[in-house]
Amino acid sequence: MSTIRKLATALLCCASLASSLAFAQATAAPTAAAGRQNVNTLRTTVEQFLQTETAGQPGEVKIKVGAIDPRIALAACPAPEAFMQPGARAWGKTTVGVRCTAPSNWTIFVQAQVSVQAEYVAAALPLAQGQTIEQAQLVLVKGDIAAMPNGIVTDLGQAVGRMPTVSLAAGTPLRLETLRSKPVVQQGQPVRLVSNGSGFSVAGEGRAVNNAGDGQVVQVRTPSGSVISGTAHAGGMVEVAF
């Protein structure tokens, strides 16, 4: 009987020890998880950041944030901050950084895809270099402008009356950097210099040194031979600031 009693006591001790270990593991797991950063929170931070960055974009913006490895071990951060590298675009295929400065210091980078479905301006027919663009020569097309180069024209008014710097085939999206304003002042043209200030107005004559569109800077040679700069306007007028 003594042997049986000892065996029973040993079994009870083992069961008690196993129960204690299981309880310790169960209570330790939440504590460890509580000290780690929730990756879903980081994805939300990235999405909200991109929503803010694309708030001024025309059309419908769709944001898809890439997955973050759930096994990544980052210390919990009360206020993770999203940012972008200098020169990075907040649309198309992009990368957003997320960093924590306190109580821990870490940084990760998250992939994202941002599409912007909007109307853009394209050539309805071939446009020759230097040709003044008319509205009938343009067409509005809907597509993902985030997948296109910077400076895509989205308003007909941005293109009508301007001239392409290169010939464009029909269907080509127009870009602001490939358009220039029709000159309102041409090289060698006589111009009228005007300067207005507080309580005074001065006018003079000169001759344009270069071509310039409306609102662009033009250099003017005066009868005395000096060269001054001003802002070109329609009608051969150049506004000079003193």
Side-chain angles (χ1 to χ4, degrees), residues 59-201:
E60 180 184 5
V61 178
K62 293 184 179 180
I63 300 171
K64 184 178 180 181
V65 181
I68 302 175
D69 190 342
R71 296 170 299 178
I72 191 169
L74 296 173
C77 185
E81 176 189 2
F83 66 95
M84 298 197 78
Q85 299 281 27
R89 301 198 317 172
W91 53 90
K93 186 176 181 181
T94 188
T95 301
V96 178
V98 183
R99 60 190 166 209
C100 181
T101 55
S104 299
N105 194 327
W106 50 256
T107 300
I108 66 167
F109 292 91
V110 183
Q111 301 291 319
Q113 182 74 38
V114 180
S115 64
V116 183
Q117 293 293 325
E119 288 187 331
Y120 62 90
V121 180
L125 44 83
L127 299 176
Q129 179 181 357
Q131 171 186 352
T132 301
I133 299 173
E134 300 177 1
Q135 185 165 329
Q137 299 169 324
L138 305 174
V139 63
L140 288 172
V141 182
K142 191 169 185 179
D144 183 9
I145 62 174
M148 300 179 181
N150 288 332
I152 291 294
V153 177
T154 57
D155 188 328
L156 291 170
Q158 295 176 307
V160 174
R162 304 185 76 179
M163 299 179 294
T165 57
V166 294
S167 295
L168 302 174
T172 304
L174 270 61
R175 299 172 57 193
L176 290 174
E177 66 178 28
T178 61
L179 300 177
R180 60 184 174 87
S181 300
K182 183 178 180 180
V184 294
V185 171
Q186 297 189 3
Q187 182 179 3
Q189 173 186 338
V191 296
R192 182 171 177 78
L193 297 168
V194 177
S195 180
N196 297 309
S198 179
F200 75 92
S201 179

Side-chain angles (χ1 to χ4, degrees), residues 20-46:
S20 298
L21 287 173
F23 177 77
Q25 291 173 348
T27 54
T31 303
R36 294 179 59 180
Q37 178 63 50
N38 186 320
V39 294
N40 289 329
T41 300
L42 300 183
R43 295 180 74 246
T44 300
T45 299
V46 171

